[in-house]
Amino acid sequence: FFSSCFLTVMASADCQRGQKLYEARAAQCHAIKRGDNTTGPSLYKIFGSVAGTVPGFAYSIANRNATNIIWNEESLDKFLENPKKFLPGNKMGFAGMKKQKDRKDIIEYMKSI
């Protein structure tokens, strides 16, 4: 059995570390299975999508109105660093990830799901 990181990035340590960071910091609120919205929206194929558009999730008004945001490396990095500053009015109860390496690694993993 190979992880999606291996299949996508072929043994990228950063992606594997990102998967561990996801499991430790995000899995309790965000599933990676398509359509499996929990406290937060599913992160399935989130990379490259428009913010606030995961079907079936009750987004905040701020997030629903953020249709100018495409989730890419730059936007995810800024959001993960400080969600409240990047998107004021969002309802995500997460203070952010201060370490740039952590953000880069989790983004690499998010690209693989």
Side-chain angles (χ1 to χ4, degrees):
F1 175 77
F2 295 110
S3 75
S4 59
C5 286
F6 182 83
L7 295 173
T8 303
V9 189
M10 294 229 4
S12 167
D14 290 345
C15 184
Q16 291 172 355
R17 184 172 181 274
Q19 183 176 5
K20 290 178 183 170
L21 284 166
Y22 160 80
E23 290 166 357
R25 309 273 310 268
Q28 60 272 26
C29 294
H30 294 277
I32 57 171
K33 183 179 174 189
R34 178 188 207 164
D36 191 6
N37 298 319
T38 58
T39 303
S42 168
L43 297 181
Y44 177 79
K45 299 221 180 264
I46 198 76
F47 194 85
S49 69
V50 176
T53 60
V54 172
F57 185 74
Y59 284 100
S60 65
I61 292 170
N63 220 313
R64 285 194 309 264
N65 292 334
T67 56
N68 62 324
I69 298 172
I70 306 294
W71 292 126
N72 58 34
E73 289 175 358
E74 182 181 353
S75 59
L76 283 167
D77 183 63
K78 289 177 182 176
F79 181 77
L80 290 171
E81 182 179 22
N82 189 334
K84 298 292 183 199
K85 181 178 178 184
F86 180 76
L87 187 58
N90 83 75
K91 61 183 181 178
M92 188 163 125
F94 176 65
M97 300 177 90
K98 301 307 174 206
K99 295 180 182 177
Q100 186 176 33
K101 173 140 179 59
D102 290 351
R103 295 191 311 272
K104 287 188 179 293
D105 291 350
I106 204 165
I107 291 166
E108 191 66 30
Y109 174 64
M110 291 171 75
K111 289 164 55 176
S112 78
I113 54 177

